[in-house]
Amino acid sequence: MKDDACTSILVGKKAAMDGNNLIARNDDTFSPLNQQKFVVNPAVHGQKGRKIKSWLNKFEMDLPEDAYRYPAVPNVDYKKYGYYEESGINEKNVAMSATESTYGNERTLAFDPLVVDGLDEDCIVNVVLPYIDSARDGVQYLGKLIAKYGSPAGNSVLFSDKDEIWYMEIVTGHHWVAQRIPDDAYAIAANRVSIEEVAFDKPDDFMWSEGIREFVADHNLNPDIYAWNFRHIFGTYTEQDRHYNTSRVWYGQKILNPSIEQDPEDPDLPFIRKAEKKISKEDIEYILGSHYQDTVFDPFGTRGTDEEHHRYRPIGLNRTQNAHILEIRRDVPEAMAGIMWLCIGGPTFTPFVPFFTNMNDTDPSYSNTSLDYNMNDAWWYYKSFAALVESHYPQFVQVDVKYLTELNRYFRSRVAEVIEAGQKYAGEELTAYLTKANQETVAHTRQETEKVWGELFKEAIKMSKLTFNMDKNL
């Protein structure tokens, strides 16, 4: 279901304007309509005999007796499409986003083929996030599961805590490499193997599957004479990569490093970069919703030819079911440090709403998504709002930009307000307070969106082609 999808951005704390680690991703699916909900999975203590079984293959495994609480964004129709919980921050303030579909080449897959009934994306968050205490622990924990069960697809996974960010690429049935993103750098990934030179003498910065160097050597898989480049060994270099994948990395790096001239079809764009300025959450939101603005490749643009407008796949798509930025703050008490900025409906035209993840429930408009169209549901509501804006893009886009800018102003002040007021609470009282505060933020966002929605509809009515100029007295 998730083939050829998703774009990921990882920003180290010293590269981020707010000084906090940030991991972000668009969850793109094959169909524009794949309903999702936002729920809280409660903590589990001493429950024996717990199991999980995939709805997509024959994978199943026993689960530990204890599990941390965490929010997630699963499919509504999980029996048809699988769980796909996508992202969350557990009660130990460990963030996880999974997965970025990633593809190994035929040379490596010939000797370590994918495992049909292994652990895939549909269950990967469920069996990892509730059981880890750090980002590094997440890589190690998932690595052991891949060694035991194998992987039926190429999947890349993002982990972060307040200290570290890790990007893990699983590209064959059992082999993977993970790289720590430097604190003063950022990385963008788009459905290709991204990790480059692996420093096996630096275990603080890299982790890898057992026996991967021997595997490469035994099967003569390294095309480089001196280097050990994970992308060169395991990655692909196809026409689809050039038009579907690398152009997205190019555009993200163009926004964050505008002075660097690069080719959008360069197959070896660097994975790790240092930006020319500190990176804000608004920068990440812009990139996740982008469509090659201010270039000849913008499908909404007036510059360039029709062929250029459709040459490359945009980052923001109508089939982006949710986008998220997972933030672990360093300047507040741990009980208020995890914030999940969730955009449900598409990041090009709709807002990233901040949710403190120390909560025991989400707003019903987020948790009770219907399979049938229902404007009470946040997923359907914001999908519809995005469709309205796009339907008259030249006339509505600046109204939408103003709306999103004002909400971002509100969200920043709202987060500060909630944190300040939350200082007087602790334990379950704090969780209850943050849960209520999240719901108030949801209500305000809906109220402000309703106002804009009404103005846009009034303008749309005026733009009907079923009109005729006539004497005002007739």
Side-chain angles (χ1 to χ4, degrees):
M1 183 184 68
K2 301 294 177 86
D3 288 351
D4 293 340
C6 307
T7 305
S8 297
I9 304 175
L10 310 94
V11 180
K13 54 184 179 285
K14 292 182 180 179
M17 186 179 294
D18 294 337
N20 304 313
N21 283 331
L22 302 168
I23 59 173
R25 185 172 61 88
N26 279 354
D27 169 29
D28 303 333
T29 60
F30 182 77
S31 168
L33 298 177
N34 182 19
Q35 300 87 340
Q36 294 182 336
K37 57 186 177 178
F38 182 39
V39 298
V40 176
N41 294 303
V44 174
H45 303 289
Q47 290 188 14
K48 297 182 179 180
R50 299 172 64 236
K51 295 179 180 291
I52 187 171
K53 184 183 184 307
S54 171
W55 292 89
L56 301 184
N57 62 10
K58 295 180 181 180
F59 170 79
E60 60 181 310
M61 64 172 278
D62 295 327
L63 295 174
E65 297 179 14
D66 301 302
Y68 296 131
R69 182 193 66 218
Y70 68 103
V73 193
N75 288 329
V76 174
D77 193 358
Y78 64 89
K79 291 184 179 180
K80 181 177 181 180
Y81 296 116
Y83 296 113
Y84 287 93
E85 290 198 323
E86 296 302 330
S87 63
I89 301 175
N90 71 20
E91 60 185 282
K92 292 296 183 179
N93 288 329
V94 182
M96 178 180 181
S97 179
T99 69
E100 178 80 29
S101 297
T102 308
Y103 301 91
N105 60 51
E106 68 277 14
R107 298 183 301 278
T108 55
L109 289 169
F111 299 105
D112 184 25
L114 299 172
V115 179
V116 174
D117 292 320
L119 170 58
D120 202 356
E121 179 182 2
D122 60 314
C123 294
I124 211 165
V125 172
N126 312 56
V127 302
V128 175
L129 186 56
Y131 312 106
I132 57 177
D133 293 281
S134 69
R136 184 180 293 268
D137 184 29
V139 174
Q140 295 170 339
Y141 192 93
L142 178 54
K144 292 177 182 178
L145 293 179
I146 295 301
K148 181 176 181 179
Y149 296 103
S151 178
N155 287 312
S156 295
V157 185
L158 296 70
F159 293 101
S160 73
D161 53 37
K162 69 181 179 64
D163 296 317
E164 295 185 338
I165 296 176
W166 285 86
Y167 188 70
M168 179 181 187
E169 295 189 315
I170 306 162
V171 288
T172 65
H174 301 88
H175 285 301
W176 55 269
V177 164
Q179 181 172 8
R180 182 176 184 268
I181 307 303
D183 293 342
D184 61 351
Y186 74 91
I188 300 177
N191 300 132
R192 288 187 70 221
V193 175
S194 296
I195 296 172
E196 299 174 279
E197 294 284 339
V198 179
F200 290 103
D201 59 342
K202 295 182 178 179
D204 289 341
D205 298 322
F206 290 91
M207 288 185 272
W208 52 89
S209 54
E210 183 177 356
I212 191 170
R213 283 180 286 182
E214 293 80 3
F215 170 78
V216 170
D218 290 346
H219 299 290
N220 302 308
L221 296 173
N222 191 348
D224 296 326
I225 298 174
Y226 301 110
W228 207 99
N229 185 305
F230 189 60
R231 184 191 294 171
H232 290 175
I233 297 169
F234 285 87
T236 58
Y237 288 78
T238 66
E239 183 176 354
Q240 177 169 313
D241 287 330
R242 291 191 292 276
H243 289 264
Y244 198 90
N245 301 329
T246 61
S247 55
R248 284 180 278 154
V249 176
W250 167 79
Y251 189 73
Q253 293 187 359
K254 177 180 174 63
I255 297 301
L256 300 178
N257 290 90
S259 68
I260 298 176
E261 292 290 334
Q262 299 183 120
D263 183 343
E265 297 183 25
D266 181 355
D268 279 317
L269 292 172
F271 176 49
I272 305 293
R273 274 223 182 271
K274 293 186 179 181
E276 296 175 16
K277 67 178 185 65
K278 293 291 184 73
I279 300 170
S280 69
K281 287 186 288 292
E282 290 82 0
D283 293 327
I284 297 173
E285 292 174 11
Y286 179 85
I287 294 171
L288 290 179
S290 66
H291 42 87
Y292 304 110
Q293 292 96 314
D294 301 315
T295 77
V296 297
F297 309 121
D298 185 353
F300 293 116
T302 56
R303 297 164 50 195
T305 65
D306 185 66
E307 185 278 328
E308 287 172 322
H309 292 168
H310 300 91
R311 183 179 298 176
Y312 302 127
R313 197 216 101 158
I315 294 176
L317 292 177
N318 68 333
R319 53 189 177 87
T320 301
Q321 307 304 341
N322 86 77
H324 48 268
I325 304 172
L326 308 183
E327 179 179 24
I328 311 297
R329 295 189 59 147
R330 302 170 55 80
D331 58 346
V332 300
E334 288 187 4
M336 292 189 282
I339 302 179
M340 190 167 175
W341 300 78
L342 180 63
C343 174
I344 195 156
T348 305
F349 304 115
T350 59
F352 284 74
V353 182
F355 292 87
F356 288 86
T357 53
N358 180 9
M359 57 179 164
N360 52 37
D361 201 358
T362 61
D363 188 84
S365 65
Y366 279 80
S367 60
N368 295 330
T369 306
S370 307
L371 286 174
D372 295 325
Y373 189 86
N374 187 338
M375 284 288 281
N376 293 322
D377 300 341
W379 188 88
W380 285 110
Y381 181 79
Y382 289 105
K383 274 280 189 183
S384 300
F385 182 83
L388 174 60
V389 175
E390 185 179 348
S391 68
H392 294 290
Y393 180 86
Q395 295 84 9
F396 290 173
V397 66
Q398 290 307 316
V399 176
D400 183 70
V401 169
K402 182 178 179 181
Y403 150 80
L404 294 176
T405 300
E406 173 55 27
L407 277 178
N408 277 336
R409 182 207 62 77
Y410 165 77
F411 291 148
R412 280 188 173 269
S413 62
R414 174 65 175 164
V415 167
E417 171 190 291
V418 171
I419 290 173
E420 182 177 0
Q423 304 288 341
K424 61 185 177 183
Y425 300 103
E428 293 183 4
E429 286 189 350
L430 177 58
T431 302
Y433 163 74
L434 293 175
T435 301
K436 184 173 183 291
N438 287 343
Q439 293 175 342
E440 291 170 350
T441 303
V442 167
H444 175 88
T445 307
R446 178 76 176 233
Q447 181 182 35
E448 294 304 303
T449 307
E450 289 281 358
K451 294 177 185 177
V452 179
W453 189 299
E455 291 302 314
L456 295 182
F457 259 118
K458 286 190 289 186
E459 290 303 311
I461 291 169
K462 296 176 185 178
M463 287 186 278
S464 172
K465 293 183 180 180
L466 296 177
T467 187
F468 194 85
N469 292 329
M470 59 187 296
D471 189 315
K472 65 180 180 181
N473 296 315
L474 295 178

